[in-house]
Amino acid sequence: MFVSRKISESTVRRLSHYLRSLEGFPDIGGTVSSEELAARGQTTAAQVRKDLSHFGSFGKRGLGYSVDQLRDRLRSILGVDRSWRVALVGAGRIGLALFEYPAFRSRGYDCVAIFDSDPEKIGQAWADQVVRSPDEFEKVINELDVELVILALPADGAQEMAMRAVDAGVQGILNFAPIRLNVPPEVPVEDVNLVMELEALSFQITQGEQDA
Amino acid sequence: MFVSRKISESTVRRLSHYLRSLEGFPDIGGTVSSEELAARGQTTAAQVRKDLSHFGSFGKRGLGYSVDQLRDRLRSILGVDRSWRVALVGAGRIGLALFEYPAFRSRGYDCVAIFDSDPEKIGQAWADQVVRSPDEFEKVINELDVELVILALPADGAQEMAMRAVDAGVQGILNFAPIRLNVPPEVPVEDVNLVMELEALSFQITQGEQDA
DNA sequence: TTACTTTTGTGAAGAATTTCACAATACAGT
DNA sequence: ACTGTATTGTGAAATTCTTCACAAAAGTAA
Ligand SMILES: NC(=O)c1ccc[n+]([C@@H]2O[C@H](COP(=O)([O-])OP(=O)(O)OC[C@H]3O[C@@H](n4cnc5c(N)ncnc54)[C@H](O)[C@@H]3O)[C@@H](O)[C@H]2O)c1
Ligand SMILES: NC(=O)c1ccc[n+]([C@@H]2O[C@H](COP(=O)([O-])OP(=O)(O)OC[C@H]3O[C@@H](n4cnc5c(N)ncnc54)[C@H](O)[C@@H]3O)[C@@H](O)[C@H]2O)c1
């Protein structure tokens, strides 16, 4: 019934999926069943109900869940019923792609500062932002009250910038650099490692062939 | 002792980590213990041994694993002891970042074709490649014997291109579009959803604060 | 050869996650 | 009000994943 601490990683991923599905319903006032939600995700109705039950019971037996209500509840559970101030560190190729990706801003992740160590890039205008020197990092993080940092810089600078971000009071890190960051356990880090995703594919293909 | 089918997703992710760690050892002829490997990953020695034991036993009691041997074995398990022919679909911001990312090629993922539907982009040269029209898709996939496809196009075109890729004989899909692709179960799909990663962060931060 | 140290490989125990299955309940129709 | 249908919320069972713990090597040193 109540938030019993320790929600599993996979549950959180599924909650994101449910929210994404619900945002597909432009429908006002409708309802959705755990069965329907399961079909759109890639899971079972029982799993959907169990996932949601960790946070309370907001369905109606015989009817399902109110789309509007469930969507709001999921937004609040996932912390996207507000906006987050994000800084981008590394104004390279992946940094640019992320910066220009509209889905971030539309979900409430607001890029309020960009840093790069390359003197050629410092001072460049990116939309409403100017690329800043890492020398200003702590000052800017504090002044703008940055909560999240996206690390899109080469691996050799990532650990240092992660530490500086934590020391400056940043609350979470999305890391694209292919290294395991060492940060205090209370600061969550999510790693994105695309080589690993490709390896997962080639693993599955290779294994599959061994069966045949 | 033998590949007993059904290796868990988390095991595969850890195998990738182990391989990445081992590639950090330029050391020729050395050995590494499960303890050391665990420290570099973010796991336990028992987990390392259990993961490896699914594929045979290639350590020496009292000594550990031969770095060279284990690295080769992991490469072969993950299917990266060969090169893979990859096509990129969608020559946009994320497509460009991926195309120029050197770690892919160096791991054996070779981008051999690029497709985009934008007439402005078709014909553009990208390094050694030329952006092609999706009209040529099936022909090119077959001629170049493409095995993997990276979908970096907007969500509304992704399902169609996934299906065409499968029909053309592609064996795996790395999908950046924020939709759940519908493909036959024997074709592995890996999804990359960055909004979900950010939501995982904001969830953890939000939850953490509720404790305090 | 024997004693000692180290570290693997693995069954068994323990923990976590998913699935099952069903009583509880909400509404619709008559 | 009653009957029928749909669908939740949730203990319990089943399954999957992780950790434990220790006998079985393998090397080293005396
Ligand atoms: N391009 C991709 O598709 C891709 C995919 C996955 C992971 N990555 C990883 O993302 C990171 C960035 O990749 P990229 O392709 O954008 O590289 P890039 O070389 O295009 O950009 C990196 C940027 O970081 C800047 N930088 C370097 N040190 C810095 C520091 N200390 N502080 C601030 N900025 C600094 C550089 O000046 C450069 O502008 C790398 O770690 C890479 O491994 C990239
Ligand atoms: N930019 C990011 O950081 C980011 C992050 C996560 C996910 N994504 C996702 O990745 C995908 C691409 O994002 P982007 O930012 O590169 O977008 P983009 O608009 O920069 O590029 C998309 C490209 O795909 C092409 N395209 C459209 N339909 C096509 C078709 N049927 N066949 C071939 N090409 C086609 C377009 O012409 C365009 O060049 C989107 O689904 C987006 O949601 C992007």
Side-chain angles (χ1 to χ4, degrees), chain A residues 188-210:
Chain A
V189 174
E190 293 289 324
D191 288 299
V192 177
N193 189 325
L194 302 179
V195 168
M196 228 150 95
E197 305 286 337
L198 284 171
E199 284 175 354
L201 279 183
S202 49
F203 172 81
Q204 288 174 77
I205 295 168
T206 306
Q207 291 297 304
E209 272 166 11
Q210 278 173 17

Side-chain angles (χ1 to χ4, degrees), chain A residues 5 16 20 107 199 211, chain B residues 5 16 20 107 178 199 211:
Chain A
R5 202 61 338 90
S16 281
R20 188 138 57 77
R107 290 296 193 116
E199 284 175 354
D211 283 346
Chain B
R5 202 55 346 84
S16 281
R20 189 137 59 76
R107 289 294 194 118
E199 283 175 354
D211 283 347

Side-chain angles (χ1 to χ4, degrees), chain B residues 91-114:
Chain B
R93 294 164 298 203
I94 201 84
L96 178 63
L98 297 172
F99 179 74
E100 292 187 340
Y101 187 43
F104 285 158
R105 181 140 323 183
S106 76
R107 289 294 194 118
Y109 300 99
D110 235 14
C111 182
V112 299
I114 307 171

Side-chain angles (χ1 to χ4, degrees), chain A residues 97-98 101, chain B residues 90-94 116-118 121 134 152-155 176-178 194:
Chain A
L98 297 171
Y101 187 44
Chain B
R93 294 164 298 203
I94 201 84
D116 198 291
S117 60
D118 181 348
K121 288 189 174 157
L153 77 170
F176 284 82
L194 301 180

